[in-house]
Amino acid sequence: MKRILIALSLIIGHSSLSHIVAQTPVYLDETKPIEQRMEDALQRMTLDEKIAVIHAQSKFSSPGVKRLGFPDLWTDDGPHGVRPDVLWDEWVQAGQTNDSCVAFPALTCLAATWNPQMASLYGTSLGEEALYRKKNVILGPGVNINRTPFGGRNFEYMGEDPYLASQMVVPYVRGLQSLGVASCVKHYALNNDEEYRHQVNVKVSDRALHEIYLPAFKAAVQKGGAWAIMGAYNLYQNQHNCHNATLLNKILKHDWGFDGVVISDWGGCHDTDEAVKNGLDLEFGTWTDGLTMGKTNAYDSYYLADAYKQAILSGKYTTKELDEKVRRVLRLFFRTTMQRTKPHGFLCSESHYDAALKIAQEGIVLLKNNAIANPSGRGAKAPLLPLDPAKQSRILVVGENAIKMMTVGGGSSSLKVQREILPLDGIKDLISKFNVQSDYARGYIGDTIQSFDGVNVGRSLYETRSAAALKAEALEKAKLADVVIFIGGLNKSSYQDSEGHDRQQYELPYGQNELIEALVTVNPRLVYVNISGNAVAMPWIQKVPAVVQGWFLGSEAGKAIASVLFGEANPSGKLPYTWYANLNQCGAHALNTYPGTWRENHDVIDEEYKEDIFVGYRWTDKQKVRPLFAFGHGLSYTSFKIGNAKADKKQLTTDETITFTVDVTNTGSMAGAETVQLYVRDLQSSLPRPVKELKGFQKIHLSPGETKQVSITLDKSALSLYDDKVGAWVAEPGDFEAWIGSAADQIASKVKFKLVE
């Protein structure tokens, strides 16, 4: 702007220049504060322009203000990659050739890295892809709590623990927004299951709400500086969460000071009056709820469109609420579409594939790795993993998930990738330089759908053989193999890991359990790789020597899995949720509160969170039951020793901090990473508290024989509870313990300390 004015001054003289400067809108002057530019633009807008910018104009865009030079705002799904474009007013693929992407691992895998640096890398890499695709808002990440392993969208979230999710969401948001792309954190709040998601009314205590279900959203807002929040489909206090007075007006905007935009989930708006008054700023929709049924280009029929405008003109509302919504949208414009200094984006770059691979490798969890005899029966027993391809003559890969694309399907997070390395191909590529015979047997028939949302699944899954024939083939080939790698688990079909429905069983689908039992009988050297975003029942766990949690790993899935199985990468992932042996170990199921109870008129289902604050490991600790694998569990190909922890003081006041230090040594023969986890136990609480709660962690990389000191600092917030009687966080003086270890059930050291007035 300044350069333009200087050039004009040379032509027309300084007297005319002063007139031009006086007429130049403040909102165009990038040297002015955003708030001043925002108010200037607001005063220039007509009623029609104000109404236009608070609702969609297409499936994924809302209008700017053409007369004033504001470009349209483009959103896109993208918690794990930038979704392919659809037509303006239909969900049909637009048929473009430049809307492929790199798929990053699903967010359960990111959380399993327990490494905030990986979250930052994730956010910046995704932001670069979004910039290239000219997207201004990425609809993610998701930080809803894993309350039950039946949750259909758990794979899109960051586990069961509010502290872990909080630590991982902040660098993701900061990394994405550092490039001028807004992060729309979702789904706010209590969106913990998919079945009947439009009808579920959650009944939860204020304490559980603030201690379990809100902290990650609060961190995203106050520490991450999120520019947008997406409301959830479900209800709380009998109001839909996309226009919920308590969640949006009181907590989000008043208590937390959120200055960004509240965006409805698509079709999540249900009422003009509630949308006007209860905090919704920008309405997006689908063919239902927010649109006249069956009508195309019906965006003027949205609740915040003509209905709102006519209510203002009739005197039902003033423009007070409208102007506040428009201010927030304009603020988002200035942060995104009007930001002139954004860097260039990159699509499918080598650095993005490297990032996807690194995150996948760090997130893969080695759940079990028992010693087993060599195929010849000679020599000492040794852990089955990592596999040494030089010592294998025949490897058999079994399982449909070895050849199935997992970037396609699952709902709104489905992607159109430039490439996805399948597990079978990754394994075959790695061992190709060795004199090893490899073979494949499908073993079972699962999902044979060839496409989702217009994107083909690549390798054909069509199958004419019977389930019995597939099983027989796998067993015969297993008898001849030195090792069997079974790659199974869930997929992204309905009623598995997918938007729209929850799972219906904890067991593996498609007869996989029976097949695994039969395979390990004919060949005990069996590695089971579970592909999923949720825990599953493993009734054969005592018979299978090695188990790996492989998640949905994105574009580099096959390469990441192969690198871990064969020791090119040392696994360091830790579980972000408790892996129950059975559903009775989960509070939501043990108390029969999931999926809730239908009201008499069958329009709303009330779901009471009776387990309260005792979610995940908090519940198993309280009930004194041992899960199959504990929260924070994850093995390595090397070994670590965590020494005795020490504190820098024996007591602290509420305005002080306390630091715990511990030495960690790599006692094995391979470089690797360990995650030191610090849990706090309150010994004198006036209210019921969990046995322990995660309040700090640090991941460190160590060479063989190397020792490093880890320091974790706590303040009063780590000791506080939410007292719902006073409606505030309270740090009660008294005795506490810091429990330090490598998992929730692997505590190496405890240190007592006191909080004083």
Side-chain angles (χ1 to χ4, degrees):
M1 176 59 70
K2 290 180 179 179
R3 287 195 295 269
I4 293 172
L5 294 178
I6 291 170
L8 287 171
S9 70
L10 297 176
I11 299 172
I12 61 180
H14 290 289
S15 60
S16 298
L17 175 62
S18 62
H19 174 73
I20 292 174
V21 171
Q23 297 301 313
T24 300
V26 172
Y27 71 85
L28 287 176
D29 188 348
E30 296 185 20
T31 66
K32 299 293 184 181
I34 283 181
E35 298 303 303
Q36 186 177 351
R37 300 172 69 197
M38 180 182 71
E39 289 298 329
D40 179 54
L42 179 67
Q43 300 307 314
R44 299 170 188 270
M45 293 174 66
T46 66
L47 176 61
D48 284 339
E49 288 168 341
K50 291 178 181 179
I51 290 292
V53 301
I54 63 169
H55 67 83
Q57 65 176 356
S58 74
K59 291 300 182 189
F60 282 99
S61 73
S62 61
V65 188
K66 310 297 190 296
R67 182 178 64 86
L68 299 181
F70 288 89
D72 293 344
L73 183 79
W74 283 90
T75 72
D76 210 340
D77 286 306
H80 312 130
V82 186
R83 180 176 176 167
D85 291 328
V86 298
L87 296 176
W88 183 266
D89 194 45
E90 299 179 49
W91 288 113
V92 178
Q93 291 285 307
Q96 296 182 10
T97 58
N98 64 341
D99 62 347
S100 296
C101 69
V102 172
F104 300 94
L107 292 185
T108 42
C109 177
L110 175 62
T113 69
W114 288 60
N115 188 346
Q117 292 179 353
M118 290 296 100
S120 179
L121 176 64
Y122 199 120
T124 53
S125 300
L126 178 60
E128 288 176 345
E129 299 247 328
L131 279 177
Y132 184 89
R133 294 273 305 282
K134 301 188 186 317
K135 307 303 181 184
N136 310 118
V137 180
I138 286 294
L139 305 174
V143 291
N144 293 101
I145 294 298
N146 183 327
R147 177 176 174 252
T148 160
F150 275 20
R153 296 185 85 166
N154 282 347
F155 73 96
E156 292 187 45
Y157 302 144
M158 296 188 182
E160 73 182 29
D161 185 75
Y163 180 81
L164 175 62
S166 297
Q167 295 300 112
M168 297 301 290
V169 70
V170 169
Y172 180 117
V173 171
R174 287 179 177 174
L176 182 63
Q177 294 187 167
S178 69
L179 300 170
V181 178
S183 174
C184 184
V185 183
K186 62 184 187 182
H187 303 88
Y188 182 75
L190 301 164
N191 185 191
N192 307 114
D193 37 79
E194 284 294 289
E195 208 67 42
Y196 312 117
R197 58 184 180 171
H198 293 277
Q199 291 85 34
V200 170
N201 177 57
V202 175
K203 304 174 73 173
V204 62
S205 72
D206 283 351
R207 187 178 175 201
L209 178 69
H210 284 273
E211 289 194 14
I212 303 297
Y213 298 102
L214 293 186
F217 289 103
K218 184 178 182 180
V221 168
Q222 294 190 333
K223 296 181 179 180
W227 295 339
I229 292 286
M230 181 186 289
Y233 283 132
N234 54 285
L235 298 88
Y236 168 66
Q237 295 180 340
N238 298 306
Q239 285 184 340
H240 279 95
N241 288 358
C242 286
H243 33 73
N244 188 289
T246 299
L247 290 177
L248 299 180
N249 285 343
K250 182 185 183 301
I251 296 175
L252 178 65
K253 293 184 175 180
H254 179 270
D255 296 350
W256 296 352
F258 176 64
D259 70 354
V261 173
V262 174
I263 299 177
S264 73
D265 203 343
W266 269 230
C269 184
H270 298 266
D271 181 85
T272 296
D273 192 57
E274 288 194 3
V276 170
K277 297 177 180 178
N278 294 346
L280 179 62
D281 300 312
L282 181 53
E283 180 188 0
F284 278 87
T286 64
W287 282 82
T288 57
D289 301 313
L291 285 172
T292 302
M293 181 65 73
K295 182 180 178 183
T296 60
N297 290 308
Y299 302 101
D300 287 340
S301 299
Y302 273 38
Y303 293 105
L304 287 181
D306 277 352
Y308 189 15
K309 174 184 172 182
Q310 295 305 318
I312 290 175
L313 293 174
S314 69
K316 181 177 181 179
Y317 308 113
T318 68
T319 60
K320 177 183 177 182
E321 295 89 353
L322 174 61
D323 285 350
E324 177 56 26
K325 298 177 192 298
V326 175
R327 283 187 182 95
R328 291 174 178 271
V329 172
L330 288 173
R331 189 180 289 121
L332 182 63
F333 284 170
F334 285 122
R335 287 167 166 171
T336 58
T337 63
M338 296 291 284
Q339 187 183 139
R340 309 302 185 193
T341 58
K342 289 183 289 190
H344 295 291
F346 300 92
L347 185 69
C348 301
S349 71
E350 295 86 347
S351 64
H352 296 165
Y353 283 112
D354 290 344
L357 177 61
K358 187 172 180 59
I359 294 164
Q361 289 171 329
E362 281 214 25
I364 290 174
V365 182
L366 179 60
L367 294 174
K368 180 181 179 182
N369 192 23
N370 281 8
I372 190 169
N374 293 322
S376 63
R378 298 190 298 272
K381 291 183 177 180
L384 183 53
L385 295 176
L387 298 171
D388 184 350
K391 296 181 179 179
Q392 318 291 328
S393 59
R394 184 186 295 270
I395 293 174
L396 173 67
V397 178
V398 178
E400 182 177 279
N401 284 356
I403 60 169
K404 182 174 177 59
M405 289 182 70
M406 293 298 180
T407 59
V408 180
S412 60
S413 65
S414 182
L415 300 171
K416 184 171 82 174
V417 294
Q418 184 188 48
R419 72 167 188 252
E420 178 180 350
I421 301 175
L422 300 174
L424 178 61
D425 296 332
I427 291 170
K428 292 173 68 174
D429 181 67
L430 189 147
I431 66 175
S432 62
K433 51 182 160 301
F434 298 91
N435 187 25
V436 183
Q437 291 184 346
S438 64
D439 203 354
Y440 172 73
R442 184 167 182 169
Y444 64 91
I445 304 173
D447 184 356
T448 59
I449 295 174
Q450 298 299 300
S451 66
F452 178 87
D453 198 18
V455 179
N456 292 327
V457 299
R459 186 169 300 173
S460 174
L461 298 173
Y462 182 71
E463 184 62 70
T464 59
R465 293 171 295 174
S466 67
L470 292 173
K471 181 178 179 180
E473 177 195 35
L475 292 176
E476 286 303 310
K477 290 183 175 181
K479 294 175 184 177
L480 304 175
D482 292 328
V483 65
V484 177
I485 302 172
F486 188 107
I487 301 178
L490 307 180
N491 56 41
K492 291 188 175 180
S493 302
S494 290
Y495 301 102
Q496 294 200 43
D497 282 323
S498 181
E499 179 182 0
H501 294 287
D502 286 343
R503 295 169 63 194
Q504 295 179 319
Q505 61 180 14
Y506 195 41
E507 291 71 29
L508 288 171
Y510 314 128
Q512 291 179 78
N513 283 334
E514 294 78 5
L515 178 57
I516 292 169
E517 293 270 7
L519 284 169
V520 77
T521 299
V522 301
N523 191 330
R525 295 176 58 81
L526 175 66
V527 179
Y528 175 67
V529 180
N530 187 71
I531 307 298
S532 76
N534 272 306
V536 299
M538 294 181 172
W540 34 259
I541 190 65
Q542 298 303 322
K543 303 175 185 177
V544 175
V547 179
V548 173
Q549 174 58 17
W551 312 112
F552 298 116
L553 296 176
S555 288
E556 297 290 277
K559 189 172 182 179
I561 289 171
S563 69
V564 167
L565 292 179
F566 291 92
E568 288 191 350
N570 192 349
S572 61
K574 300 282 187 176
L575 287 178
Y577 53 68
T578 303
W579 198 296
Y580 307 110
N582 55 69
L583 286 179
N584 288 330
Q585 293 186 341
C586 174
H589 294 270
L591 297 175
N592 293 315
T593 64
Y594 169 87
T597 305
W598 284 104
R599 294 181 184 176
E600 189 172 339
N601 58 4
H602 214 71
D603 64 337
V604 173
I605 182 170
D606 289 308
E607 187 169 353
E608 184 176 0
Y609 288 14
K610 291 183 179 179
E611 71 279 10
D612 202 55
I613 62 171
F614 298 98
V615 176
Y617 68 89
R618 291 165 169 81
W619 176 263
T620 54
D621 281 352
K622 179 184 178 183
Q623 300 302 118
K624 299 180 180 179
V625 297
R626 187 176 183 86
L628 192 61
F629 301 109
F631 172 79
H633 170 79
L635 305 177
S636 172
Y637 294 150
T638 191
S639 55
F640 300 95
K641 179 182 178 181
I642 297 178
N644 292 323
K646 298 179 181 178
D648 65 346
K649 55 175 66 80
K650 293 184 179 180
Q651 65 180 34
L652 71 155
T653 62
T654 54
D655 59 353
E656 293 180 322
T657 62
I658 184 170
T659 299
F660 300 89
T661 58
V662 63
D663 288 339
V664 183
T665 304
N666 183 341
T667 57
S669 58
M670 185 176 183
E674 178 63 293
T675 300
V676 177
Q677 303 166 34
L678 188 153
Y679 299 83
V680 169
R681 176 174 173 82
D682 189 343
L683 300 175
Q684 291 181 255
S685 175
S686 65
L687 296 175
R689 297 197 75 169
V691 172
K692 62 180 182 293
E693 297 177 274
L694 181 72
K695 295 298 179 182
F697 63 88
Q698 185 175 331
K699 189 169 190 175
I700 55 169
H701 295 261
L702 296 168
S703 299
E706 184 180 11
T707 298
K708 287 184 179 179
Q709 187 178 82
V710 171
S711 296
I712 299 175
T713 299
L714 306 181
D715 59 18
K716 73 172 184 179
S717 65
L719 313 179
S720 300
L721 55 79
Y722 188 85
D723 188 338
D724 46 12
K725 292 182 180 179
V726 298
W729 287 90
V730 177
E732 296 182 328
D735 293 327
F736 292 83
E737 281 184 337
W739 293 13
I740 298 176
S742 58
D745 65 344
Q746 296 294 321
I747 304 301
S749 183
K750 299 179 182 180
V751 181
K752 283 189 176 182
F753 64 99
K754 182 184 290 288
L755 178 68
V756 298
E757 293 283 2

